[in-house]
Amino acid sequence: MSWVTFVLVVLGLIFLALIVYWQFIIAEGTYLGSWAVTWLYDWSAHVYERIKGFNVGDEQWFLGLPLARALAMIPAPLVLDVATGTGRLPRALLRQPAFEGRVIGLDLSRRMLREAVQRTAQFADRLTYIWQDAQELPFEDGTFDAVTCLEALEFMPDPHRVIVELIRVLRPGGVLLLTNRIGKDARFLPRRVFPRDEFELMLQETYPLEDVKVQVWQVDYDLAWGVKRGEPRGGSIRPLPDIMRCPHCGHRLGPALADSGNGANEAAYHCRGCRRVYPIAEDGVIEIAQPRRP
Ligand SMILES: C[S@@+](CC[C@H](N)C(=O)[O-])C[C@H]1O[C@@H](n2cnc3c(N)ncnc32)[C@H](O)[C@@H]1O
């Protein structure tokens, strides 16, 4: 091998290593598709909290308390946390004595949800987890008093589409809480993050939102608050069968017993339109992402 070939091979390997580092470490698989993001989170779910090192006091003070205050006028608010991960937001909110509502946490990584179930066991009676893609939320329009999505929009194939979906399931007058990635790595996430100085105006002008405020939150994230435009209505906890709908055909989902395949019956949700069956797993997670056909 001549030295020219040797140098070219070394440069090629360095280039390849940089691409792999960018795609898997910085972008966490987002440009390869949701399957790659989910695979990475499934793989690292057991160490996620250790890596993040959440501080209980900070989480309560900077997340749980402001959200509980924003919902203080509603007697029993219903909150959806999209891309809930290991249940960080449910934990911060349900620890607030002033919050007497219920939280639904949704994520596409089944292993992150398994961790979430364990880490929030003390709040199990006020908490439901759903395994599903944020791009197709399995809920009626205008359902929730607050919808949150923290540290996750940049991992979605189309963040705009997800924001539209978050606002769809928020009731008029409801609170939206979002993060936008900033910091040194943000420049390596084109089409996944929003320019910092345009984010507030973009939210206000592109979506049916008012009272939008973007605040500095963490080294890598700004936090955006907004309220869905329209005459405030409804609010408070509603039973799951009243709010859940099939992501495939849009019909209502009802509770049912389904054949688990080994002769026994298992708890499930059942679509009244296309008749797909969505099992409720042993850990209580409603598995919308992988329905069974009737
Ligand atoms: C950095 S974690 C944030 C978790 C949590 N919100 C927090 O602040 O700790 C990103 C989460 O987004 C989830 N996620 C990525 N793409 C998703 C999608 N398309 N639908 C639902 N969840 C998704 C991942 O599985 C992961 O749990």
Side-chain angles (χ1 to χ4, degrees):
M1 192 192 292
S2 75
W3 68 268
V4 177
T5 320
F6 177 75
V7 169
L8 284 177
V9 169
V10 170
L11 286 177
L13 286 175
I14 291 173
F15 180 71
L16 201 66
L18 287 174
I19 294 284
V20 169
Y21 185 79
W22 170 42
Q23 288 296 324
F24 286 94
I25 307 296
I26 297 179
E28 297 186 18
T30 181
Y31 297 105
L32 304 174
S34 287
W35 69 268
V37 177
T38 309
W39 180 80
L40 280 173
Y41 276 98
D42 274 344
W43 180 67
S44 59
H46 63 294
V47 288
Y48 178 80
E49 292 261 341
R50 217 179 312 149
I51 293 170
K52 287 295 210 178
F54 296 127
N55 176 290
V56 179
D58 288 351
E59 293 297 299
Q60 302 234 62
W61 186 252
F62 296 110
L63 193 58
L65 187 61
L67 186 54
R69 281 196 180 140
L71 295 167
M73 301 300 283
I74 302 148
L78 185 59
V79 175
L80 173 67
D81 183 37
V82 173
T84 195
T86 48
R88 169 199 196 171
L89 181 118
R91 248 178 359 241
L93 187 57
L94 289 163
R95 277 191 183 129
Q96 297 300 314
F99 180 77
E100 293 184 347
R102 215 186 146 82
V103 182
I104 296 179
L106 176 145
D107 204 282
L108 194 53
S109 160
R110 189 62 181 83
R111 291 209 182 143
M112 290 292 271
L113 289 175
R114 203 161 295 152
E115 286 285 323
V117 169
Q118 286 167 12
R119 291 174 180 275
T120 51
Q122 59 185 306
F123 305 113
D125 55 336
R126 298 163 66 199
L127 190 48
T128 305
Y129 285 112
I130 296 185
W131 182 31
Q132 169 62 356
D133 193 329
Q135 298 181 99
E136 287 177 349
L137 298 175
F139 304 106
E140 298 280 346
D141 296 359
T143 294
F144 295 94
D145 299 300
V147 176
T148 59
C149 183
L150 304 179
E151 302 191 16
L153 267 186
E154 68 270 32
F155 305 124
M156 312 278 173
D158 183 350
H160 274 292
R161 176 176 162 192
V162 174
I163 297 177
V164 168
E165 192 62 354
L166 302 178
I167 297 173
R168 177 184 72 74
V169 300
L170 187 62
R171 70 167 173 80
V175 177
L176 181 73
L177 189 55
L178 283 182
T179 54
N180 182 39
R181 181 83 168 254
I182 55 162
K184 61 178 172 33
D185 286 347
R187 79 190 84 145
F188 299 111
L189 297 168
R191 290 183 294 109
R192 295 294 191 277
V193 301
F194 302 96
R196 198 173 183 191
D197 49 351
E198 294 169 21
F199 190 47
E200 190 169 296
L201 198 64
M202 188 280 296
L203 286 176
Q204 186 96 29
E205 293 192 342
T206 315
Y207 305 102
L209 292 172
E210 57 194 12
D211 296 339
V212 176
K213 282 184 194 60
V214 175
Q215 67 185 67
V216 178
W217 188 46
Q218 294 178 170
V219 178
D220 287 321
Y221 289 96
D222 281 342
L223 189 64
W225 296 81
V227 172
K228 183 170 176 178
R229 269 191 232 130
E231 190 61 33
R233 62 171 166 78
S236 298
I237 295 172
R238 287 159 65 198
L240 283 179
D242 288 1
I243 61 170
M244 287 184 64
R245 70 177 205 185
C246 176
H248 295 276
C249 70
H251 278 84
R252 282 269 177 93
L253 297 185
L257 281 178
D259 186 347
S260 64
N262 56 12
N265 278 335
E266 63 177 1
Y269 277 84
H270 173 257
C271 175
R272 295 180 184 160
C274 65
R275 308 183 67 79
R276 281 183 171 83
V277 174
Y278 299 102
I280 304 173
E282 273 181 16
D283 61 0
V285 174
I286 305 173
E287 300 188 324
I288 303 282
Q290 252 175 42
R292 293 216 200 100
R293 291 195 170 268

